[in-house]
Amino acid sequence: MKPVRSLARVMLSGIFVVSGVRNLQNPGRLVPAAQPITDRVAPLIQNLHPRIPTDTATLVRANSATQLVGGLMLATGRFARPAALVLAGTLVPTTLAGHPFWTNDDPMARNNNQVHFLKNLGLLGGLLLAAADTEGKPGLRWRAGHRIGHSRRSVQRVVRTARREAKIAARSAATARRLPG
C-alpha cells in the first residue's frame, strides 16, 4: 500500500475509532438523540430476527462497536473496501440522529448541526472513495471481463487449430487414396 493511501485511510478512520470507543463507554448520552431513528428501525430489525434486541442503548452500542471495528480495519488496510462500505452505512443513521439541523429553531444550533451534517456528508464521500479504491489494481468487474475475453480467445484458437488440422488430415487422406497401392 502506498504511503499516501495508508495515511489517508488512517486519517479517515480516526473519527470512527475515537467516537466508537467513546460511545461504547457511554452510550446513554446518545440515547435521546438516537431514539427517533431507532424507533423507525426497530420494527425492521424485529422482522429480520425477533430475538435481536432493539432497545436504543443496545443499537447505539452496536453502531459504536461497528464503527470501532470498521475504523480499525480501514486504518490497518485489512478488508479496507468492505470496512469503508460498512462505515458509510453506519454514518447515515448517526448523521440523521445526531445532526438534524432542519428541526432546530435556534439559528446557532441550526448552523452548528448543519456544519456537522455537511462534515459527515464529506466523510461519507471519503468512505465511498475508499470503498471504490482498488489501489491501482484492476477491479473484479474488469478481471472477470478480461478472463471471459481470454477464455473466448483461447476457444477461438482451439477451433482454428482443429479446423486447420482437419483440413490437413483431409488432404492427407485424399492424397493417400490417389496413390497406387
Side-chain angles (χ1 to χ4, degrees):
M1 189 177 344
K2 295 191 177 184
V4 171
R5 195 172 264 119
S6 297
L7 182 62
R9 285 186 178 152
V10 168
M11 292 167 60
L12 183 58
S13 67
I15 186 70
F16 297 102
V17 173
V18 171
S19 65
V21 168
R22 186 177 297 149
N23 297 337
L24 267 174
Q25 292 172 343
N26 186 11
R29 66 183 184 80
L30 299 175
V31 168
Q35 189 79 44
I37 301 297
T38 58
D39 287 347
R40 291 182 185 170
V41 174
L44 299 172
I45 295 171
Q46 286 294 312
N47 287 341
L48 289 174
H49 199 287
R51 291 188 182 166
I52 296 175
T54 57
D55 63 288
T56 303
T58 301
L59 293 176
V60 167
R61 278 191 195 99
N63 191 54
S64 301
T66 303
Q67 287 185 343
L68 173 61
V69 172
L72 290 172
M73 290 171 65
L74 182 63
T76 60
R78 301 284 182 207
F79 301 104
R81 293 177 70 194
L85 275 178
V86 168
L87 287 172
T90 66
L91 194 58
V92 172
T94 301
T95 303
L96 292 174
H99 309 294
F101 66 91
W102 53 90
T103 63
N104 294 116
D105 294 330
D106 177 29
M108 290 293 285
R110 180 185 202 84
N111 186 45
N112 187 37
N113 274 330
Q114 189 174 32
V115 166
H116 285 291
F117 185 90
L118 292 172
K119 172 205 45 126
N120 283 5
L121 203 59
L123 284 172
L124 182 62
L127 289 169
L128 293 176
L129 282 173
D133 179 28
T134 61
E135 298 183 26
K137 299 173 189 163
L140 288 176
R141 192 172 88 193
W142 183 90
R143 286 187 284 181
H146 185 72
R147 280 283 165 219
I148 290 169
H150 178 70
S151 298
R152 187 177 296 138
R153 287 188 302 274
S154 294
V155 168
Q156 288 170 346
R157 273 193 300 270
V158 167
V159 167
R160 279 194 309 264
T161 301
R163 284 181 184 159
R164 195 176 319 119
E165 289 177 359
K167 285 181 185 178
I168 291 170
R171 284 185 200 139
S172 295
T175 304
R177 274 186 251 141
R178 280 186 250 144
L179 293 174

